[in-house]
Amino acid sequence: MFPTRLIAAVLGGIVALVLVGAPSATAAPQRAAAQTTIYYDSTRAAELAPLVDEAAEIWNTRVTSVKLVKGPAGITVTTAQNGSAPGTASCVGCTRGQIYFYRNQIQQSGAAPLRVVVHEFGHILSLQHPPDIGNCDKVMAGGRCENAIPSAEEIAAVQRFWARGWRPAKPAPNPAEEREIFESPALVNR
Ligand SMILES: [Zn+2]
């Protein structure tokens, strides 16, 4: 029995070494191409923190090439009292940056708070504003709308962007533009 066990132990050790050793050389680039993780820190999002988690879940359940995960560094989310737009994101298509929400502007805009949160994450996830501002079917179109679920087109664009791997971040729309689109009237859906 003893030699058999010894051989089994030695073989087990070799298998363990192979399993531990293999991923460092070959698997890392494959993982990066398959899914990018973007960490978000909502510890300063105050009462909007649950909506931040909900917005992350809305995106996470619809795309597979990128995942929003709660954790330090990455995207910091802050809620403040007074600002120049309902929400702002510091970059478009980026894994590090800031999102700010302003209570006074969210109340004034008439847009649903969750829609604003999903919108700002939309910028982080690579989306810009579409030409049809006020189209409630698109979370990036602003408007005094309730809908917080991205359109099929928006979901596909995010999926494609991150599936292609890393690309440099773009500047985000300025606060004046962010304010203007959320104050735009909702387009009438026929
Ligand atoms: Zn925007």
Side-chain angles (χ1 to χ4, degrees):
M1 285 303 283
F2 177 69
T4 311
R5 270 193 232 160
L6 180 65
I7 289 163
V10 169
L11 284 175
I14 290 166
V15 169
L17 279 173
V18 168
L19 288 174
V20 168
S24 61
T26 55
Q30 289 171 357
R31 258 198 313 249
Q35 188 178 70
T36 301
T37 298
I38 302 178
Y39 291 97
Y40 68 90
D41 179 353
S42 58
T43 55
R44 286 187 288 176
E47 77 279 7
L48 291 181
L51 296 190
V52 170
D53 291 340
E54 204 176 329
E57 192 63 15
I58 284 171
W59 285 113
N60 285 344
T61 51
R62 287 168 175 80
V63 295
T64 56
S65 59
V66 62
K67 190 174 170 68
L68 295 163
V69 176
K70 197 192 289 224
I75 307 296
T76 59
V77 186
T78 306
T79 301
Q81 189 57 39
N82 297 305
S84 51
T88 61
S90 65
C91 46
V92 171
C94 47
T95 56
R96 285 178 175 270
Q98 296 89 39
I99 292 175
Y100 278 88
F101 297 112
Y102 299 103
R103 297 182 181 100
N104 68 325
Q105 293 287 336
I106 289 177
Q107 283 165 7
Q108 279 172 34
S109 73
L114 181 60
R115 180 174 172 83
V116 176
V117 179
V118 171
H119 176 103
E120 297 310 334
F121 272 104
H123 284 312
I124 298 298
L125 293 171
S126 78
L127 300 179
Q128 304 273 7
H129 299 151
D132 48 342
I133 294 301
N135 182 347
C136 296
D137 292 342
K138 299 179 181 176
V139 294
M140 301 314 291
R144 295 193 284 270
C145 305
E146 284 291 319
N147 176 44
I149 304 300
S151 70
E153 195 184 325
E154 290 173 323
I155 292 162
V158 169
Q159 180 67 20
R160 274 198 311 272
F161 180 90
W162 296 99
R164 284 178 199 154
W166 187 87
R167 274 177 288 172
K170 292 178 188 160
N174 63 40
E177 188 182 338
E178 285 297 88
R179 179 181 185 163
E180 196 181 314
I181 69 144
F182 279 115
E183 288 182 346
S184 300
L187 293 181
V188 177
N189 290 319
R190 289 173 187 273

